[in-house]
Structures are given as C-alpha cells and as structure tokens.
Amino acid sequence: MASMAEVMQVINRYAPKGFVPKFGIILGSGLSELAEQITNPVSIPYQAIPGLHVGGVAGHASLLVMGHLNDVPIVCLRGRLHLYEGIPYDPIRTLIRIVKNLGASTFIVTCAAGSLRQDVGPGELMMLTDHINFHPGNPLVGPNDETIGPRFIGMEDAYDPGLQDLMRAAAKRTNINLAEGVYLSTLGPSFETPAEIRAFKTLGADAVGMSVVPEVILARHCGMRVAAVAAITNLAAGMSKEKITHEGTLHHGAIATRKLIKLIPEFIKETTSAMV
Ligand code: HPA
C-alpha cells in the first residue's frame, strides 16, 4: 500500500503552485454537474493516484479536481468509493486524508438519498444533522496513527453546528427549501425492503443511503469540520407507488443538483467570510 507521503507527492505534481484549498467537497451519484462550476480546474483521475481504486457506478466520473468556486480554493472529489463495490476502507481513508493533507479545514459531503419523510420528496434537499452507522464496520478499525488523529473520537458535533447555521443562512439567501434530518447508512447495493424502511423510521432515520458515514468519520478523525447535504432522489421503499431504480435516482438527482449548484457556492461564500 502506498504511504500518504507517496500519495501526496503525486498530487503535488499536479497541484497549482501554492494551492491550498479551504474546502473539500465530495459529490454523490448524479451530482457531478457541480464540478463544472469550478474555475481553472486541474483534474487528476483516481487511477493516477496511488492507492485509489476507481468506483464503477454509472454517473461517477472519479476525478480529483482542484480549482476555485466563487474565487475560493477548493478540492472536489468527483466520484466516491463505495463499500458495496467491494472496495476496502484503505482507499476511502486515502481519499479523505488527501483533502486534509492539501490543507482543507472544512469538508462538504453531498449524496443522493432516499427520504423516509413523506413531506420531503424527490428533488428536495435535506441537510444532514446526524447519522446512524448501519455499515458493517468503521473505517477507523485497525492500528491508529496518532499523527492523523486520536484513537477515540467524539461524534456529538460530527455535523458541525456552526456550519449548519451557515447552511441554513445560505439556503435562505438562495431561496431554497432545506429540510433537515438524520442519515442512516446501509451497505447496499440493493435498495431497502419496505420492512427495513419501517424499522429505520422507528430508529429515528429521515434519509437512507449507501455512503456518507465512513467519509464523515474519517473527516472528523483528522480534524476537519463537516457539513452534509443530501439530494433526495426518491421516497424510500414502500412509501410510494413508484419503484426505486438507479435511473430514477439519477433523474431526480439532476433536479436536486440544480439547487445544490446554487446552495453550495453560497454556503462557501458565507463560510469563508465567517472564517476571516
Ligand atoms: N436507498 C439507499 N440509497 C439510496 C436511495 C435509497 O432509497 N436513494 C438514493 N440512494
């Protein structure tokens, strides 16, 4: 396995001189249009980065893009690595730690998700305020590198309360309806059964998806602040007459992406001015 120093040597070969992103952002299924807003982009295919496997789901372009959004330097992970692809935690750890090692202090997570709330339908956005880890593991299992982060980390403010306020303000300013809720992660790749969704609802979940949680744990471990927004692509299994398909999620993801393209740059602007 490539060391982080070897990984960063490759990234730095591509990075513009003196480039230090303020934000990292990871784009979910069907949300990659946001990456097209980035000015002066420098893109590195994941294949060119030691230790990264390439995700294989349609709609995932798998590029690390360095550039600017609203004149703010950002690094964008266009395409994520999912456990359901049979990918181990190693490359997922590498991907998130690249963002930290480049210098980003804030990590924005976007994803597609099913809604467990009848009042939050396809095409809506939901800010994530907490999560329930239903993945069969945790990306921090194994020897801990104290130079990256502590052995045990608190998860009470995993979804940073200050950033939540800034996201609400950005939503208000862009006139976007922003629901809020708890995200529950499943391994996938099968969607849930109606019985599972009923069970998850009693556990307190508002949205369900196959990602987010490992990335948030890893980002918190290395000290980045996290904000997360889900693009709701469907009502969860058993909640609507419409059957859930990957194509359907991409279609509604595109509608929600148009909102994200307005919301995220505004959030970045708000947060950057709050930082200084
Ligand atoms: N379940 C799991 N993952 C998803 C869903 C869903 O209903 N929609 C989009 N991603």
Side-chain angles (χ1 to χ4, degrees):
M1 207 188 66
S3 73
M4 213 52 217
E6 287 167 313
V7 171
M8 293 314 293
Q9 218 170 37
V10 172
I11 306 274
N12 287 327
R13 220 179 289 148
Y14 289 84
K17 246 200 159 31
F19 179 79
V20 180
K22 281 196 189 316
F23 297 84
I25 176 165
I26 188 161
L27 302 180
S29 271
L31 306 178
S32 44
E33 216 180 302
L34 192 63
E36 272 136 44
Q37 305 284 306
I38 296 172
T39 50
N40 302 321
V42 174
S43 300
I44 318 176
Y46 287 4
Q47 298 102 299
I49 302 171
L52 292 192
H53 294 235
V54 177
V57 178
H60 291 222
S62 296
L63 291 173
L64 183 144
V65 186
M66 292 174 276
H68 291 77
L69 205 54
N70 266 345
D71 293 329
V72 179
I74 66 157
V75 55
C76 175
L77 306 175
R78 180 179 170 158
R80 55 165 38 101
L81 305 174
H82 293 95
L83 292 172
Y84 63 69
E85 291 167 278
I87 291 171
Y89 278 122
D90 279 330
I92 302 176
R93 283 194 279 260
T94 301
L95 193 59
I96 306 307
R97 289 172 184 167
I98 287 171
V99 174
K100 170 70 179 182
N101 281 19
L102 277 169
S105 55
T106 302
F107 191 55
I108 305 168
V109 180
T110 68
C111 65
S115 171
L116 278 72
R117 295 238 309 264
Q118 283 291 355
D119 62 319
V120 186
E124 294 290 316
L125 297 182
M126 185 187 289
M127 176 169 72
L128 306 181
T129 56
D130 207 342
H131 76 220
I132 298 171
N133 184 8
F134 252 56
H135 275 143
N138 185 302
L140 300 179
V141 168
N144 186 56
D145 182 343
E146 290 285 329
T147 64
I148 297 172
R151 168 78 292 183
F152 301 103
I153 57 160
M155 292 295 287
E156 273 165 327
D157 288 335
Y159 299 80
D160 190 89
L163 294 180
Q164 288 185 38
D165 285 343
L166 290 161
M167 191 69 81
R168 287 182 195 105
K172 199 170 262 178
R173 229 198 274 269
T174 47
N175 226 353
I176 288 167
N177 195 34
L178 186 64
E180 300 185 14
V182 174
Y183 177 95
L184 183 144
S185 64
T186 65
L187 177 60
S190 51
F191 290 112
E192 301 69 37
T193 64
E196 284 167 339
I197 292 301
R198 286 194 299 275
F200 294 161
K201 195 154 175 66
T202 68
L203 292 176
D206 299 292
V208 64
M210 304 171 192
S211 59
V212 174
V213 168
E215 297 151 8
V216 171
I217 293 172
L218 287 164
R220 292 302 300 140
H221 179 244
C222 65
M224 289 193 285
R225 298 197 302 164
V226 171
V229 181
I232 299 301
T233 56
N234 56 280
L235 287 174
M239 291 179 61
S240 133
K241 284 198 188 76
E242 213 176 300
K243 292 282 176 268
I244 303 167
T245 62
H246 183 57
E247 292 67 31
T249 63
L250 289 181
H251 172 74
H252 291 291
I255 295 168
T257 297
R258 263 169 247 145
K259 297 179 186 173
L260 269 179
I261 284 174
K262 285 202 283 175
L263 178 66
I264 299 296
E266 182 65 26
F267 169 75
I268 285 177
K269 205 160 74 183
E270 295 256 357
T271 306
T272 305
S273 45
M275 279 169 172
V276 290

